[in-house]
Amino acid sequence: MGTAAVVRAFEEIRAALAVLDAEVGGALVDGAGCGSFAGPGAAADPLAGLTDLCLDILAGARAVEARVAGVKAKAAVAYAESAAVVAGPGVPAQVQEMSAAAEIGCVLALGPRAAASFLATAHAVVTTLPRTLAGLQAGDLSWQHALVMADETAGLDTAGTAALEAHFLDPDANNPARGCRVGELPAHRFRVKARTWRERHHTESIEARHAKGVAERRVEYRPDRDGMAWLTAYLPADQASAVWDRLTSEARALQGPHERRTLTQLRADTYTTALLATHPAPRPTHTRPEPTSLDRTRQESGGTRAITGTRTGGVHGPVRAQVLVTVPVLSLMGLTDEPAVLDGYGPIPPSMARNLVAEGADSFYRVLVDPRDGAPLEIGRTSYRLTKAMRAWLRLRDGRCPFPGCSNHSLDNDADHLLAWVNGGTTGISNLGQPCPKHHRLRHTTAWKPTPATKTTPPGWTSPTGRHYQSEHQDWEPPHRPPPHRSHAPWPPPAANGAIDITRHRGSPWEDALSQYLNTHT
């Protein structure tokens, strides 16, 4: 395989691209779309043929781009290794890596940092991520997906890297990822799922890693074009989530018929006003919730999850922004170190979850989960209107707007009957979705339609062209059990176990739940 073969291969690629370009160009000129990629019904319906042609070319181009990315990665690694051999042992490894990245950057027209990042990702994919490389070569994964996989496996040991890769790319793995395949997820959504799995299975405690992150908290300033700049903050997840929800709540409250600013503009203006106020802001306050009655349904061992409601405090008084947290009951008690899940963010340390529950909850819904896979079970309802518990359950099931690729987990996502109420649809969880306002309008104003949901999986979607897109599923896992040497503690759990001091919270809405659990399982 020499230079002549490489030249011939690229000539064939260019010829194939010319054919595809001619197909698209011809279809745009005559509107027929009856080229070689058009469907069998193209002659009868030229517009349908055009749409099929364009979508087929887009899908084929995505697969080709993935294969090209795989070839580029292998070529970059092969070049770097060959250049190191040619340079000889007298050249320090760091210097040789810099030299190789510089050469690759010149060839690909990349800056030094981008070239070094590309070479590092290529090396990880080629040498330590065989399933990811195979996905690229098969055209099933994009380079963006490979970049996510390389990022999220960085810092893991060999076993952890193999386990994370197998979970998402091996359908025969133990408890594989469910829902649409990784290659069908936008890369930014795959990053969320991969990071969640990594946090759950990392060999180092999430508490220890969180402590390191807290020590690195900071605010950063970065100038931008057109007289603008970015001001960002690296904060603990619960604080950042509460700030964002607070800004959204206050901005939404300012909207009205005479307000011309968008929600995005209002959020930014609220942020600026809060920071530049001439009067010092009051210290955040936390309101102790009133006790509420709890459903006395028996909890399965390790399988109850607590969903807390709202958190108070901020710069302008007691505007309340919701914070939804899923907490395994044994982790809440301090008997295990299983992470909790913060809505819109992902896994958080159990200590952070205990603080949110102890200081910010004004409601406490217990959701019984399936001990086999950790998925929540359905909450029944026969009337048209949803209860607050059902809305919280939908957020727990879907995590966000269920439209493919949408990341909107806004608190005002719309509860929507998949089969309309007037057509006999029920208000059960299996007949409900929670699309964001944008995709709710899309559903009712275009031919996009949701497909059936289940108790534990959100609806997929069918496009106007009849193509089906599977929904993204939550990556539930069976709840953890405490190690054998850490038996169930008496009531209240001793502080030495790392458990919350229940005695400080007598009369709180979660006291009955934990007390019942301990009485049942000790």
Side-chain angles (χ1 to χ4, degrees):
M1 191 75 165
T3 303
V6 173
V7 171
R8 186 164 56 251
F10 278 110
E11 288 177 349
E12 293 173 355
I13 290 174
R14 284 190 285 268
L17 290 174
V19 172
L20 294 174
D21 184 65
E23 286 284 323
V24 177
L28 291 175
V29 170
D30 58 28
C34 298
S36 60
F37 279 84
D45 188 348
L47 288 179
L50 174 59
T51 57
D52 284 341
L53 167 68
C54 294
L55 291 176
D56 285 342
I57 288 180
L58 287 172
R62 183 188 72 171
V64 170
E65 288 172 350
R67 292 186 173 96
V68 170
V71 171
K72 286 174 61 178
K74 293 179 68 175
V77 173
Y79 163 75
E81 292 178 348
S82 300
V85 173
V86 172
V91 180
Q94 186 175 9
V95 174
Q96 179 54 41
E97 290 174 5
M98 186 183 305
S99 174
E103 181 80 12
I104 290 172
C106 290
V107 171
L108 298 180
L110 298 175
R113 293 180 62 181
S117 176
F118 167 73
L119 181 57
T121 301
H123 187 269
V125 169
V126 173
T127 61
T128 65
L129 298 169
R131 296 183 187 276
T132 303
L133 179 60
L136 284 172
Q137 294 173 320
D140 296 331
L141 299 178
S142 70
W143 179 251
Q144 288 73 25
H145 290 88
L147 178 60
V148 171
M149 188 69 79
D151 286 346
E152 297 305 323
T153 54
L156 297 179
D157 57 20
T158 302
T161 296
L164 191 154
E165 191 183 33
H167 176 73
F168 289 103
L169 299 181
D170 182 5
D172 298 322
N174 183 31
N175 190 28
R178 292 172 288 279
C180 53
R181 296 181 301 173
V182 166
E184 297 171 357
L185 279 174
H188 76 280
R189 291 303 314 164
F190 171 50
R191 183 179 295 278
V192 172
K193 295 177 75 70
R195 181 161 297 172
T196 298
W197 194 95
R198 178 184 184 274
E199 296 287 12
R200 287 173 176 164
H201 297 271
H202 202 291
T203 54
E204 186 180 8
S205 165
I206 190 172
E207 293 284 4
R209 288 179 284 124
H210 176 64
K212 296 176 184 176
V214 170
E216 296 174 355
R217 64 191 181 278
R218 60 191 180 273
V219 176
E220 296 180 346
Y221 167 78
R222 178 168 60 86
D224 207 340
R225 60 182 179 272
D226 302 329
M228 303 299 289
W230 291 98
L231 187 65
T232 57
Y234 181 64
L235 301 171
D238 59 334
Q239 296 178 13
S241 178
V243 168
W244 177 259
D245 288 344
R246 172 66 176 272
L247 290 173
T248 301
S249 299
E250 293 197 3
R252 191 172 289 119
L254 294 173
Q255 289 183 310
H258 304 295
E259 177 56 71
R260 301 183 61 180
R261 290 174 294 178
T262 66
L263 181 63
T264 300
Q265 292 169 335
L266 286 168
R267 191 185 287 118
D269 292 346
T270 301
Y271 172 78
T272 302
T273 301
L275 290 181
L276 298 181
T278 56
H279 299 289
R283 294 176 62 84
T285 60
H286 299 288
T287 303
R288 177 65 56 85
E290 293 297 324
T292 61
S293 61
L294 294 175
D295 174 33
R296 301 293 179 175
T297 303
R298 179 179 177 180
Q299 307 171 59
E300 295 292 337
S301 175
T304 300
R305 295 179 183 262
I307 305 177
T308 70
T310 60
R311 182 184 179 110
T312 62
V315 297
H316 295 307
V319 174
R320 304 171 71 85
Q322 288 188 347
V323 178
L324 182 63
V325 186
T326 303
V327 190
V329 66
L330 294 178
S331 182
L332 181 67
M333 295 164 58
L335 297 178
T336 70
D337 295 325
E338 184 177 5
V341 176
L342 178 63
D343 182 43
Y345 173 79
I348 59 174
S351 60
M352 182 184 292
R354 295 181 201 125
N355 290 336
L356 288 173
V357 172
E359 300 178 9
D362 71 350
S363 62
F364 183 95
Y365 298 117
R366 292 185 297 143
V367 179
L368 190 65
V369 301
D370 190 327
R372 296 168 298 178
D373 58 11
L377 302 179
E378 184 165 7
I379 303 173
R381 181 68 175 171
T382 57
S383 67
Y384 178 78
R385 294 187 178 277
L386 277 68
T387 64
K388 292 175 66 175
M390 292 184 73
R391 288 187 181 274
W393 194 95
L394 280 174
R395 290 174 63 193
L396 182 66
R397 183 194 71 179
D398 298 357
R400 38 175 265 300
C401 169
F403 193 85
C406 184
S407 297
N408 193 330
H409 61 277
S410 173
L411 300 178
D412 62 354
N413 280 0
D414 303 317
D416 184 37
H417 288 78
L418 305 180
L419 176 62
W421 176 267
V422 296
N423 294 331
T426 64
T427 311
I429 295 298
S430 298
N431 191 47
L432 292 171
Q434 57 151 14
C436 65
K438 173 183 176 181
H439 291 118
H440 197 181
R441 289 195 302 271
L442 185 74
R443 181 257 168 100
H444 290 290
T445 57
T446 72
W448 278 94
K449 297 298 178 186
T451 58
T454 71
K455 296 178 181 180
T456 57
T457 58
W461 288 78
T462 299
S463 74
T465 62
R467 300 187 180 212
H468 175 66
Y469 300 94
Q470 192 176 12
S471 63
E472 175 186 335
H473 294 180
Q474 295 276 52
D475 218 1
W476 301 110
E477 293 190 7
H480 294 180
R481 303 295 194 272
H485 65 280
R486 297 178 70 180
S487 60
H488 293 307
W491 179 267
N497 260 359
I500 55 176
D501 183 4
I502 303 297
T503 58
R504 295 194 304 116
H505 308 295
R506 292 294 188 187
S508 65
W510 56 89
E511 177 190 351
D512 288 347
L514 294 180
S515 179
Q516 181 183 350
Y517 178 85
L518 288 172
N519 291 336
T520 303
H521 298 286
T522 58

